[in-house]
Amino acid sequence: MAGTTTSTPRPPFDAGPSFNASAYLVDRHVEAGDGARVALRCDGADTTYAALAALTARAAAAFTALGVRREERVLFLMADTLELAAGILGAMRAGMVAVPVSTMLTAADLGPLLADCRARVVVASADFAAALAAALPASDAVTHLVVSGGARPQVPAGVVLVDWDDALAAGDEAAPGGAPVVAAGDDAGALWLYTSGTTGVPKAAMHRHANIRHVCETYGTQVLGIRRDDRCLSVAKLFFAYGIGNSLFFPLSVGAMAILEPRRPTPATVAERARADRPTVFYAVPAFFAGMLAADLPADTLEGVRIATSAGEALPAALQQRWTARFGVDILDGLGSTEALHIFLSNAPGDIGPGTSGRPVPGYEVEVRTEDGSRAPAGTPGMLFVGGESIATGYWCRTATTRSVFQGRWLATGDTYVEDADGRFTCLGRSNDMIKAGGIWVSPGEVEARLLEHPDVVEAAVVGGVDHDGLERPVAAVVLRDGGTVTGDDLVAFCREGLAHFKAPRAVLVRDTLPRTATGKLQRFKVRALVVEQDPLHAREAAPTGAPVP
């Protein structure tokens, strides 16, 4: 039926009522005789599955010794390191809830999250310990700050500062050999992930142990085809949904190796890591793919990579084609969300529709609905809904928002999509991103895709601006490649050559960067604010004939 697509899931892992995601990802490989296989590589140091299982058990014992009880939260503000991976897995092993948060947050940002999640123990890498310590007064629930890497920040009265190694030693004393795996069960809480907050205050999406298994058995196995000999490198970090799936869930679910990169991702650092560790699966976001092209990296930078994936926002076909032509690797663009834990719409190897999000991942139902809630026929835009076993149980302490977003077995994604006659889904933008120009709806994604076809443009964002008549018109903000000389007027003309005139931007702002979240998602509300501030439409209208405009 047009407007609805359902895929049949493969048989689930036979976990029984005591399922624990940590044991599923680590311990079962050791029990199967694969303890000597490399699970994680970080800065050239390898950790086997046996060593990871032991460290995970020690971390679980450490958190228990610090007073954390089952179903209580442990918050992590850490770089992508062995300690973070073991900490997340250790919390889940002990039946606690792991809460990794963005390392790009300031103390002012962290305070509300601490107060919201009410974690008793918080863990930080040395580089982020001061920021976390400064945020501690916002919560009266924190009893211990555990720091990895030797930093000694000042902490408020009532909070105990503990070194990571000392915490492990205390756990060893309380539970020699490490804490046992808790029989959690499918529905027990395992992981909270805060949404990126592009349109409001971040909310914690609550995920069960079963959700982790589901994304591994669906997208990981049936789309990526993740296998034991893979080496996975992700630009996206462990603190958000896309990254934790890429660097922890998928490789560990099959006994493969994850390559962790603690540094902030740049084309140079990722290229260095790729040359050193030779990944076979590479995960990034559209802005990073554009950055790699702009950085003029050698064509063999990703030699050995068999597949790349993209998520976070729609990948324009022009960018996809330029990147693949340069590096010789196909990109599987897909759509996921924090609330769904990972990708539920995706292109697949041998089945790539450039400019589309592909088809539903096996195990998910995807439906486009019109404004009245009915299923949209093929070719008709509407709101995208998804159903599947990895959908979060809701937002922590956000009843009204939970009821509007989580509707029975369906998740309202907030994305406007259209399904074609072949069952592929194409993103038209967020529901509140669509622009009505001259009474006709304009998709920002379509205009951005045209802008990115210009060889001088590496990033583009299109939003609605208001002209002197109070009418909404498309306005673009772009980032040019190094040495790019194209002007705003040139780009307006370029768009008019390839698009219907009503779709072309009326003005183009050239910027050094575009505002993005820690996950690489474009912050359109900040682009809108920039357009309001600079008012390029009025500047264009006021300029005399032949005068320069923004």
Side-chain angles (χ1 to χ4, degrees):
M1 177 184 296
T4 299
T5 305
T6 303
S7 297
T8 303
R10 58 180 280 163
F13 174 78
D14 185 13
S18 61
F19 179 76
N20 186 299
S22 180
Y24 168 77
L25 295 171
V26 182
D27 296 71
R28 70 186 176 101
H29 299 301
V30 179
E31 293 167 0
D34 285 335
R37 293 182 61 81
V38 175
L40 302 176
R41 175 172 292 169
C42 185
D43 284 339
D46 289 345
T47 301
T48 65
Y49 276 89
L52 181 58
L55 184 57
T56 295
R58 295 181 70 203
F63 298 145
T64 302
L66 292 174
V68 186
R69 295 168 293 191
R70 285 187 63 172
E71 300 182 9
E72 290 185 334
R73 276 71 65 194
V74 181
L75 182 142
F76 300 89
L77 183 71
M78 305 183 78
D80 280 17
T81 58
L82 171 62
E83 289 81 5
L84 175 56
I88 291 171
L89 293 165
M92 293 193 297
R93 179 188 183 93
M96 302 160 189
V97 177
V99 187
V101 298
S102 170
T103 55
M104 298 182 72
L105 299 179
T106 65
D109 299 319
L110 291 165
L113 301 191
L114 284 172
D116 185 64
C117 77
R118 304 169 196 167
R120 294 167 60 86
V121 170
V122 296
V123 190
S125 299
D127 289 346
F128 312 110
L132 191 52
L136 292 178
S139 173
D140 60 3
V142 179
T143 60
H144 293 81
L145 169 59
V146 181
V147 178
S148 169
R152 302 287 299 177
Q154 289 292 116
V155 296
V159 177
V160 179
L161 180 65
V162 183
D163 180 80
W164 170 264
D165 289 332
D166 291 341
L168 292 179
D172 293 340
E173 184 175 349
V181 175
V182 165
D186 276 1
D187 286 341
L191 179 71
W192 286 8
L193 294 170
Y194 277 88
T195 60
S196 55
T198 55
T199 58
V201 177
K203 307 169 290 294
M206 301 181 291
H207 286 285
R208 311 171 301 150
H209 281 260
N211 295 17
I212 295 168
R213 182 182 71 240
H214 188 74
V215 296
C216 295
E217 297 279 339
T218 56
Y219 179 79
T221 300
Q222 299 181 71
V223 175
L224 280 183
I226 196 79
R227 54 202 191 203
R228 281 164 51 91
D229 61 347
D230 274 323
R231 298 182 298 277
C232 300
L233 175 62
S234 176
V235 169
K237 298 296 186 181
L238 286 166
F239 58 73
F240 64 101
Y242 184 46
I244 200 169
N246 301 342
S247 291
L248 209 61
F249 300 159
F250 300 150
L252 298 191
S253 71
V254 296
M257 182 177 81
I259 301 165
L260 299 183
E261 173 52 72
R263 296 173 294 180
R264 183 179 68 87
T266 66
T269 58
V270 168
E272 177 188 335
R273 182 58 56 211
R275 285 191 293 268
D277 295 330
R278 298 182 62 80
T280 60
V281 182
F282 178 62
Y283 312 85
V285 296
F288 199 87
F289 288 120
M292 292 181 72
L293 287 172
D296 198 26
L297 298 172
D300 63 354
T301 295
L302 298 176
E303 185 178 8
V305 171
R306 64 177 181 84
I307 203 71
T309 75
S310 180
E313 60 186 320
L315 178 68
L319 174 58
Q320 180 178 29
Q321 290 160 356
R322 286 160 54 196
W323 193 90
T324 295
R326 174 68 178 163
F327 296 105
V329 180
D330 285 335
I331 303 175
L332 306 182
D333 189 26
L335 174 69
S337 70
T338 302
E339 294 84 353
L341 189 55
H342 212 273
I343 291 173
F344 52 83
L345 264 179
S346 183
N347 287 275
D351 184 27
I352 295 176
T356 78
S357 299
R359 309 179 196 275
V361 170
Y364 292 89
E365 297 176 86
V366 180
E367 187 170 289
V368 176
R369 298 181 185 174
T370 61
E371 289 185 2
D372 64 6
S374 62
R375 295 171 178 172
T380 300
M383 174 81 77
L384 190 74
F385 285 75
V386 59
E389 288 302 311
S390 71
I391 303 298
T393 58
Y395 298 123
W396 171 251
C397 288
R398 299 289 192 278
T399 301
T401 307
T402 293
R403 287 174 177 168
S404 67
V405 174
F406 299 90
Q407 301 178 15
R409 64 189 180 91
W410 294 97
L411 170 71
T413 68
D415 294 300
T416 300
Y417 262 75
V418 63
E419 182 184 5
D420 66 21
D422 294 328
R424 296 186 191 277
F425 289 75
T426 299
C427 180
L428 302 180
R430 294 289 293 174
S431 297
N432 59 358
D433 289 341
M434 297 289 284
I435 302 164
K436 206 165 195 179
I440 304 174
W441 288 110
V442 175
S443 162
E446 184 179 6
V447 185
E448 290 160 4
R450 173 60 180 170
L451 287 164
L452 286 167
E453 290 177 7
H454 195 286
D456 277 1
V457 177
V458 295
E459 294 185 62
V462 175
V463 299
V466 179
D467 67 12
H468 72 286
D469 291 324
L471 299 176
E472 190 175 40
R473 304 296 185 193
V475 178
V478 301
V479 176
L480 304 183
R481 66 172 177 83
D482 290 342
T485 60
V486 69
T487 67
D489 278 352
D490 293 336
L491 290 173
V492 171
F494 178 76
C495 286
R496 287 178 174 171
E497 291 171 2
L499 297 171
H501 277 210
F502 74 87
K503 296 181 180 181
R506 304 306 194 268
V508 177
L509 301 173
V510 178
R511 308 289 298 173
D512 292 332
T513 61
L514 295 183
R516 295 184 179 275
T517 68
T519 67
K521 291 182 180 178
L522 180 70
Q523 292 180 303
R524 289 189 188 273
F525 71 97
K526 290 187 177 180
V527 179
R528 293 190 189 98
L530 176 68
V531 168
V532 170
E533 177 186 345
Q534 297 202 4
D535 203 9
L537 292 174
H538 287 186
R540 173 177 288 277
E541 292 158 358
T545 303
V549 294

